[in-house]
Each structure stands twice: as C-alpha cells, then as structure tokens.
C-alpha cells in the first residue's frame, strides 16, 4: 500500500500525554500485515476535551477511537451506549461504531487476562491475587480477575478508593454467578507475601525516584509479578521480583492484548497478534 488515499479508514488514540503511545505502532502493524486500507493516528487531546473528540469521531466518520488518560470517564458519558464492562467500570478505553451509534467499550480487563494466559499460561480459578492500586487500571484488573474465579486483595494508598474497587469486584463476582463464595477484600502491603499473583497497577516505577509499590522482600519463588507499567520495560519491583526468583511480566503484553480486542471490534477481523507483538518487541505465538 502506498499511503492514505480518499478511501482510507481512520482510527486513533486520544490522550494527554499521548506522543509516547505504542498504540499507533500496534494498530498500523496490524493493518499493514492484513493489507487493510486503514491508518491509526495519535491525537493529543487535553483534559476536558474527551466529549469533543467523540463528537469529532461522529462528524468525521472516524471508525474507532482508543481512549487513554485522562479521558476514560468523560468519554463514557459521551457515548450512546456502553458495554457491560465499560458501564461497570464507568470508564471507556475504546469507542466503536454500530451504525450511527457510538458504543463505549473497555478492553483493559480482557487484555490483562489474555496477556497472562498467552505469556505465562496462567489459569486464574482458585488463584489468590494482590492488586496494588485502585485506579482505573486496577479496577479493570480486579473485575477481570474476580470474573475468572481468582480471589483478590486490594492494597492502595487511599483506603476509601480500595473499598470502592472491592465493591466493584463483589459486583463482578455476583454478575459472574460466583456470589459470596468469592473473596474480594482490602488489605495491607503484607498481603503480598501470600499471593500467587501480584499486580502493580500504580504508576510507581515509571520514574527513578519512585518508592516501591510493595515491600520487595516479600516477593519470591512461585509467584508471578506483573507490572502494568511498560516504560521502563523493567521497573525496580520487577527487578527485585526477578532476583527473588518470581516470574515477571511488564505491561506491554496487556497493552498488546487490549489493542487486539479493539482491532477486532473495529475491523471485524481476527487481530494478527504475532505481527502486533513484533511491533512492540514481544515474541508472541499466534
Ligand atoms: P489512576 O487511575 O490515576 O490510578 C493510580 C493508582 O495509583 C491509584 O490507586 C493511586 O492511589 C496509586 N498511586 C499513584 N501515585 C501513588 C503514589 N505516589 N503512592 C502510592 N500510590 C500511588 O491510573 P491508572 O489509569 O489506573 O493507571 C495506573 C498505571 O497503569 C499507569 O502506570 C498506567 O500507565 C498503567 N496502565 C497500563 C496499561 C497497559 O495496557 N499496560 C493499561 C492501563 C494503565 P490513590 O487511589 O491513593 O490515589
């Protein structure tokens, strides 16, 4: 394909900051691999501009939008309809078209689960996870883990937000028919010692001066430690977990698999996961 033409279909990501985003590389690799006449751009949209961006999607016939910080909640308000996951989380990370209607979706949870399955062969049922953080990403991960049959302890700086995340987890358990048999609770950092799976869903580790999101001396062999941060590729907590003999994964896999779900929704085609992974330095069988 030579380049965009009058028939090229457009998708993109809105966020601020967004210039560092790997999403254009992921989606454009997928379009190129399948020979689709589509292109994907990054749009720097300042806080408060999410609803305008959705209106622009409608006006310009943009086929799909990925949504990142700080717009996920605002875009949820601006869509015509929300998927069950987006409605439960009150956050949209993907907008797709259905005829004239714009549907808000949230693919973070399924992206997290699929990445761990694909990259580490994890089965979640019966597993005990500790999720560090209670923001948008943490809530998506908590809901996804509980829906897969894992029990979850949430550890967060603000206990009130941790309790809100736990409440969402309980709703997810009930929606999945797991009812009160499922354990979703708020805990202290010491809970990390007993976890099978530890997920850092805070931004701590992005900057060299950040404190550790959990006590690294509690990590060890037999655990899987996942950091949703992917820049840098190896955060201090992942380094400590690796040294302690735990299995480690950074956030690139979640990014890839949540993008793959978006790609499927927009194009109706299976995502070429291997080509997308290669575009962000991941060797994924598929
Ligand atoms: P968010 O909604 O702003 O939530 C941030 C969470 O981190 C909150 O629980 C917050 O605690 C906690 N936190 C922030 N600074 C802290 C500090 N100095 N000490 C202790 N706790 C702190 O952010 P988000 O959207 O959930 O994103 C969280 C991370 O996940 C980001 O690094 C983001 O890039 C990453 N992420 C990755 C992917 C992926 O595909 N790999 C997808 C989504 C997000 P309080 O509640 O106490 O404020």
């Amino acid at each position: 394909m030579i380049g965009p033409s009058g028939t090229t279909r457009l998708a993109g990501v809105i966020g601020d900051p967004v210039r560092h985003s790997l999403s254009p590389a992921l989606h454009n690799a997928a379009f190129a691999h399948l020979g689709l006449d589509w292109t994907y751009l990054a749009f720097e949209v300042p806080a408060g501009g999410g609803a305008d961006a959705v209106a622009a999607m409608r006006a310009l016939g943009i086929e799909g939008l990925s949504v990142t910080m700080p717009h996920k909640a605002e875009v949820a308000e601006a869509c015509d309809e929300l998927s069950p996951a987006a409605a439960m989380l009150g956050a949209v990370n993907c907008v797709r078209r259905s005829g004239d209607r714009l549907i808000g979706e949230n693919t973070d949870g399924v992206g997290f689960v699929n990445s761990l399955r694909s990259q580490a062969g994890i089965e979640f049922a019966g597993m005990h996870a500790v999720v560090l953080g209670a923001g948008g990403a943490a809530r998506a991960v908590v809901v996804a883990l509980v829906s897969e049959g894992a029990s979850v302890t949430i550890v967060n700086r603000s206990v009130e937000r941790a309790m809100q995340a736990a409440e969402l987890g309980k709703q997810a358990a009930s929606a999945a028919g797991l009812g009160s048999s499922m354990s979703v609770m708020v805990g202290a950092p010491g809970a990390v010692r007993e976890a099978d799976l530890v997920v850092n869903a805070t931004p701590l580790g992005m900057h060299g001066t950040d404190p550790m999101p959990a006590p690294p001396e509690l990590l060890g062999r037999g655990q899987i430690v996942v950091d949703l941060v992917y820049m840098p590729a190896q955060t201090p907590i992942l380094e400590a977990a690796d040294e302690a003999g735990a299995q480690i994964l950074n956030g690139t896999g979640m990014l890839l698999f949540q993008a793959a779900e978006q790609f499927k929704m927009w194009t109706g085609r299976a995502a070429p996961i291997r080509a997308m992974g290669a575009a962000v330095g991941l060797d994924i069988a598929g």
Side-chain angles (χ1 to χ4, degrees):
M1 202 169 305
I2 297 165
S5 71
T7 58
T8 303
R9 298 164 86 173
L10 178 61
V13 55
I14 60 166
D16 188 16
V18 81
R19 294 293 164 213
H20 67 289
S21 172
L22 295 177
S23 294
L26 282 165
H27 287 284
N28 286 319
F31 298 147
H33 186 80
L34 295 179
L36 300 182
D37 183 17
W38 284 62
T39 197
Y40 185 104
L41 299 174
F43 298 105
E44 193 169 279
V45 175
D52 284 348
V54 172
M57 179 180 179
R58 216 185 281 279
L60 300 176
I62 294 171
E63 298 287 349
L65 272 190
S66 308
V67 181
T68 185
M69 276 184 8
H71 302 303
K72 289 182 178 184
E74 187 187 344
V75 168
E77 298 291 323
C79 290
D80 297 318
E81 206 178 299
L82 297 180
S83 70
M88 181 175 275
L89 296 165
V92 160
N93 80 336
C94 165
V95 187
R96 67 178 173 87
R97 308 183 79 90
S98 173
D100 289 340
R101 295 177 69 71
L102 297 182
I103 318 295
E105 301 271 355
N106 195 305
T107 64
D108 278 337
V110 67
F112 174 79
V113 162
N114 287 349
S115 71
L116 266 63
R117 281 218 171 94
S118 167
Q119 295 182 282
I122 292 180
E123 274 315 318
F124 298 93
M127 182 176 248
H128 180 60
V130 168
V131 175
L132 308 167
R139 290 197 294 268
V141 166
V142 167
V143 165
L145 284 171
V146 168
S147 305
E148 292 289 332
S151 63
V152 180
T153 300
I154 300 160
V155 178
N156 191 50
R157 177 175 62 180
S158 146
V159 175
E160 196 185 335
R161 277 186 104 193
M163 286 167 72
Q164 290 165 358
E167 196 46 51
L168 269 186
K170 286 175 188 157
Q171 282 175 29
S174 161
L178 297 163
S180 55
S181 63
M182 187 53 56
S183 152
V184 189
M185 63 186 114
V186 174
V192 161
R193 192 195 296 276
E194 306 302 329
D196 304 309
L197 171 67
V198 179
V199 184
N200 176 33
T202 77
L204 296 176
M206 291 178 86
H207 306 105
T209 51
D210 288 345
M212 288 279 194
E217 64 279 9
L218 302 185
L219 302 172
R221 206 166 287 284
Q223 291 183 320
I224 301 161
V225 180
V226 182
D227 200 329
L228 302 194
V229 172
Y230 52 86
M231 258 180 228
Q234 184 122 326
T235 55
I237 190 121
L238 287 188
E239 267 167 34
D242 192 28
E243 273 168 30
Q247 185 178 356
I248 59 168
L249 286 174
N250 72 15
T252 315
M254 174 172 168
L255 186 79
L256 164 64
F257 281 88
Q258 61 81 30
E261 292 300 309
Q262 300 189 359
F263 180 90
K264 270 193 272 181
M265 287 174 185
W266 297 334
T267 64
R269 303 278 297 265
I273 201 84
R274 195 173 187 136
M276 293 173 81
V280 292
L282 282 185
D283 185 11
I284 302 280

